[in-house]
């Protein structure tokens, strides 16, 4: 019998709230987790990823680095202590075959994978957590729904 997966809607209408959520999430993610980040352009996906990576850097007492969108190079890699975070942006990809060529899900040990614009992926991987970013009130407020992770 299938089990219901709880979705939690969280207000991210300020960068402070986004950073607070990222810190909380950094303590919940496990190596091998894959995070899909859905949402319109400008809704806060990359900003969330920046704060998440900074939270991991703080945990591992690593130097805070610049976190940019990987839109043009498709993937940025961050080695933080014993973990590696792969931050991918699939916006420019045209087919699922392009996704397969990136080998996004082959390396799982010591890796957390964050993927923006995952809609092109036809088969969902194991250890998947999904973040659904959205605007409300004429773009004045931002929220995220989280599926697959209790916070």
């Amino acid at each position: 019998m299938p089990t219901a997966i709880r979705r939690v809607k969280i207000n991210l209408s300020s960068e402070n709230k986004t950073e607070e959520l990222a810190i909380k999430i950094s303590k919940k993610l496990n190596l091998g987790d894959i995070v899909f980040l859905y949402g319109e352009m400008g809704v806060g996906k990359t900003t969330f990823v920046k704060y998440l990576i900074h939270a991991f850097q703080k945990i591992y007492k690593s130097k805070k680095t610049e976190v940019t969108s990987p839109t043009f190079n498709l993937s940025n890699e961050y080695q933080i202590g014993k973990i590696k975070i792969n931050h991918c942006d699939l916006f420019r990809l045209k087919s699922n075959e392009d996704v397969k060529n990136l080998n996004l899900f082959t390396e799982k040990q010591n890796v957390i994978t964050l993927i923006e614009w995952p809609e092109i992926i036809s088969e969902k991987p194991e250890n998947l957590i999904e973040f659904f970013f959205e605007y409300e009130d004429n773009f004045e407020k931002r929220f995220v729904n989280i599926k697959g992770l209790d916070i």
Side-chain angles (χ1 to χ4, degrees):
M1 169 179 268
T3 57
I5 297 177
R6 195 173 116 232
R7 287 176 89 169
V8 178
K9 185 174 183 176
I10 300 165
N11 185 332
L12 296 180
S13 295
S14 72
E15 283 207 37
N16 249 7
K17 290 180 180 185
T18 303
E19 184 176 20
E20 288 171 12
L21 177 64
I23 290 167
K24 187 182 278 190
I25 297 297
S26 72
K27 297 171 184 169
K28 300 278 187 175
L29 290 179
N30 297 304
L31 297 174
D33 282 345
I34 297 167
V35 179
F36 283 5
L37 301 117
Y38 299 92
E40 295 179 52
M41 203 170 287
V43 77
K45 299 180 300 291
T46 302
T47 299
F48 172 79
V49 168
K50 173 183 79 172
Y51 286 123
L52 183 64
I53 290 170
H54 287 170
F56 276 108
Q57 290 170 331
K58 185 174 182 179
I59 289 168
Y60 287 97
K61 297 175 177 44
S62 298
K63 181 182 173 192
K64 191 186 275 189
T65 59
E66 183 178 5
V67 176
T68 59
S69 174
T71 300
F72 295 103
N73 53 344
L74 301 179
S75 182
N76 292 336
E77 183 178 296
Y78 302 87
Q79 187 67 46
I80 305 168
K82 66 179 182 175
I83 68 167
K84 180 168 73 169
I85 298 178
N86 287 331
H87 177 206
C88 306
D89 185 323
L90 307 183
F91 182 77
R92 296 185 314 119
L93 298 186
K94 302 294 182 210
S95 72
N96 196 52
E97 195 61 35
D98 293 338
V99 174
K100 288 180 183 176
N101 290 336
L102 290 176
N103 296 317
L104 294 175
F105 311 124
T106 55
E107 186 180 6
K108 292 181 183 175
Q109 197 172 25
N110 299 328
V111 176
I112 295 171
T113 304
L114 311 172
I115 302 175
E116 296 186 45
W117 302 98
E119 291 85 351
I120 196 167
I121 298 172
S122 60
E123 292 182 38
K124 292 188 177 182
E126 294 179 25
N127 300 331
L128 179 62
I129 301 162
E130 296 174 292
F131 284 63
F132 299 89
F133 292 82
E134 61 187 52
Y135 289 112
E136 286 186 11
D137 294 341
N138 201 26
F139 301 104
E140 294 296 318
K141 294 182 181 174
R142 296 173 183 184
F143 292 89
V144 66
N145 284 293
I146 301 172
K147 180 180 174 186
L149 184 69
D150 287 327
I151 58 165

